[in-house]
Amino acid sequence: SCGPFYPWILLIQTLRPPSTPDPVIGNKEGNECISANAKHCGECIQAGAKCGWCEQEGEALSTRCDEVESLKDRGCNDSQIQNPTGKKWIITNKRVTNRKKVTGVETNKPKPEEITQIQPQKLRLNLRSGQPQSFDLKFKRAEDYPIDLYYLMDLSYSMKDDLENVKNLGTSLMLEMKKITSDFHIGFGSFVEKTVMPYISTTPSKLLNPCTGDQNCTSPFSYKNVLSLTSDGNMFNSLVGKQQISGNLDSPEGGFDAIMQVAVCGKEIGWRNVTRLLVFSTDAGFHFAGDGKLGGIVLPNDGKCHLEDNVYTMSHYYDYPSIAHLVQKLSDNNIQTIFAVTEEFQPVYQELKNLIPKSAVGTLSANSSNVINLIIDAYNSLSSEVILDNSKLPEGVEIEYKSQCKNGVVNDKDDGRKCSNISIGDEVNFNITVTSKGCPNEGKSETIKIKPLGFTEEVEIILNFICDCQCQNNDVVKKSEKCSLNGTFECGACRCFEGRVGRNCECSSNDMATDDMDQTCRKDNSTDICSNNGECVCGTCECKKRPNPEERYSGQFCECDNFNCDRSENKLCGGNGRCVCRECICDPMWSGRACDCSLDNSTCLATNKQICNGRGRCECGVCKCTDPKFQGPTCETCPTCPGVCAEHKLCVQCRAFGTGEKMKTCKEECSYFNLITVKDRNKLPQPNDYPYPVMHCKERDANDCWFYYTYAVNDTEREVHVVDKLDCPSGPDIIPIVAGVVAGIVLIGLALLLIWKLLMIIHDRREFAKFEKEKMNAKWDTQENPIYKSPINQFQNPNYGRKAAVL
């Protein structure tokens, strides 16, 4: 199957412009060998890996440099084709060390320089332009590999409590590191800040004791190497125990000055060619390049060692180093850095770690009590990853890495340089490919080095560049008669002396300047000589020959050919014309750029004998329907016209559901369309989903069930999408109906009872209120009974009222 992209491939081939080359061997376009316009064999082989030079006599200079297969097809013998190839030689290939750690006293213990972890160690590559050379590199972590660890500590006042814990670090760390290696050296250095304002106070009293109150602190300093690397842990404890805290003014510290001196002062520090670890311990940030201007220091850091009596003496003279400068020096000296910092500054140093390869960050407790565990964890993290790095490459040389890591993990591109989760004794492999372009540095040998970051071992690669052919050194005839005694005959062609031009050096540049001769071979003042299809020989274009004798270049400037015209169906001019100067001359009844447009209208006649059914126009023998409702090869199909749904209803019903009137004759009468079933109505095609009209239909069968489908015409094929389930009306559910009726009756009864009860309550209250009212309005007779005599007699003192008056 050609797949869904096949129509686009045909379209691209049909619309290909005239300048698109015919894929014939030796063609100019897309051929880097011919494009190079090589004048001699050396230029030719530098143009590309596939380029060869034909020494065969009689060939035009412009046709000698071509792809090797093209030269062979043109009849050039293998013995006359110059096609040098690159090679590789492994010079030193010492096997990686298979060594086990031995407890107790080990006899015949190898020296660090005798341990090999990378293989091979030296090789030579002969590189030809565009031709890659590959080799395999093996890396294996050796067990019991020696380790040097230098502890660089911030001795500003805020680290006072940390110093107490570091004083006993030597012997404790020795015991832990002995579990990893039997050859461990440790050293100690300290730093504070540059001894100028505004970093420290320069008053005489503060220079003696920068701390306030009754605190006794030592004078400030930039960096001091307290103890060079040693295997004596007790000496570490003794010397570190004598150290005193100092102080400074600003928050950031001058740790970068100290790191630079530790990296470049290898002799003073005592670094060996082993695993080198630098532990940088601080609870503050850092100054970097440019900050020295605050103290009037503008000279950039020179990256050199300036230790006198183990003290950095040029802190007031040179600025802080930049991060990039530190990265370079740490990498050059194979130092892996462990930043042991407090939690507050952990994010800052995490960003710094991302800029420094083979570095790690650990969170230091407030008093550095966890420093040993931090160092062990950081070392395990660093040593479990190997990252390859190379020195600066010559211009035009590229290098690619592909790694085969542990558990079959394969990385390429940017990740091809590294492998992770590497344990001691694990072996990983890298495939390294080196490619050159052209002839860098005029063909002089170059040397590059590849090494795993953090390790002293490296691979030395000597690069030799193939810039000339063998025939340029052999069978060279100066003042050859073949060159009219005016040139050197080499590699089958003439290399003319100064002042002579032409294939056989037969022309003199005094008679006609080379530029003038080339000008007569350029069409319309273009930059291409002889349209890049020929050679300018003494002012006249000689067109080059094609492998196929029926194909040829022509014209005054070789600008024409008879094979580079448009194609249709992979045929030149569609097989309906001839190619003349890159344009198709079509046969009668054919037109178009590729003569693929037929002028015969017979294929456009509809059944009513009208062209395109009167609803379109005939273009290149194909109907282009002008009425969007009509489709098909002759614009006779109308999928959205009224009656389409009813027309195809019975066939859709019988094919999709096996029912309907055409159930028995379905195969015979209803196979004219492609049936596609979908799950629901949402899956049916929508009008905007296709470039052709789609008709949506809804029909009902004899059982009052609805079915839904779409009808469309895709070019000459009819497509029907139908929902695979019928939409039938469902019967009544008796239980809900009965329950509903019963519930309704009960509810209505309860409602009537409630209404009756409410009316009775209202009536009773009215009667009671009426009774109370009548009771209040009742008037009773209050006259005395004439028969009744009261048993009480009343008498009045006749003088009572008078005495009262006198009073």
Side-chain angles (χ1 to χ4, degrees), residues 493-560:
C494 289
R495 181 183 286 194
C496 299
F497 297 149
E498 186 176 355
R500 303 299 298 184
V501 293
R503 178 186 294 184
N504 300 318
C505 307
E506 67 272 22
C507 297
S508 172
S509 59
N510 295 329
D511 299 334
M512 180 181 289
T514 303
D515 291 342
D516 294 337
M517 283 189 285
D518 289 346
Q519 185 63 35
T520 60
C521 295
R522 292 189 177 101
K523 181 181 179 181
D524 300 329
N525 294 324
S526 68
T527 58
D528 295 333
I529 297 177
C530 298
S531 304
N532 280 333
N533 295 319
E535 183 179 359
C536 185
V537 180
C538 296
T540 302
C541 284
E542 291 186 4
C543 300
K544 62 184 179 182
K545 297 179 181 179
R546 299 280 296 174
N548 187 346
E550 295 182 359
E551 298 176 355
R552 61 184 181 275
Y553 294 105
S554 60
Q556 179 183 356
F557 304 100
C558 303
E559 74 276 13
C560 295

Side-chain angles (χ1 to χ4, degrees), residues 290-422:
D291 289 354
K293 293 181 180 179
L294 297 173
I297 304 172
V298 296
L299 285 178
N301 194 288
D302 64 349
K304 296 180 180 179
C305 182
H306 297 286
L307 290 184
E308 294 184 10
D309 295 330
N310 288 321
V311 177
Y312 180 40
T313 59
M314 302 298 286
S315 65
H316 64 287
Y317 191 76
Y318 289 116
D319 193 5
Y320 302 98
S322 66
I323 295 176
H325 199 181
L326 275 184
V327 170
Q328 176 192 351
K329 292 301 180 181
L330 290 171
S331 177
D332 291 345
N333 292 281
N334 306 306
I335 297 175
Q336 305 176 61
T337 310
I338 301 173
F339 295 103
V341 297
T342 55
E343 186 175 3
E344 178 184 359
F345 288 92
Q346 200 268 350
V348 176
Y349 283 89
Q350 186 66 43
E351 292 297 325
L352 181 62
K353 174 254 181 187
N354 295 334
L355 300 174
I356 302 179
K358 293 293 285 184
S359 61
V361 177
T363 303
L364 196 65
S365 62
N367 58 1
S368 297
S369 58
N370 67 330
V371 65
I372 293 181
N373 291 334
L374 186 153
I375 293 173
I376 298 298
D377 293 342
Y379 169 75
N380 290 332
S381 175
L382 289 173
S383 60
S384 66
E385 183 176 52
V386 56
I387 303 176
L388 295 186
D389 189 27
N390 54 266
S391 59
K392 184 179 180 181
L393 299 175
E395 184 178 359
V397 175
E398 297 178 352
I399 189 168
E400 294 182 1
Y401 295 86
K402 184 177 181 180
S403 59
Q404 296 178 351
C405 305
K406 190 176 179 181
N407 299 325
V409 177
V410 178
N411 299 321
D412 56 3
K413 297 182 180 179
D414 292 340
D415 293 334
R417 293 175 174 266
K418 62 183 179 180
C419 282
S420 303
N421 300 321
I422 306 301

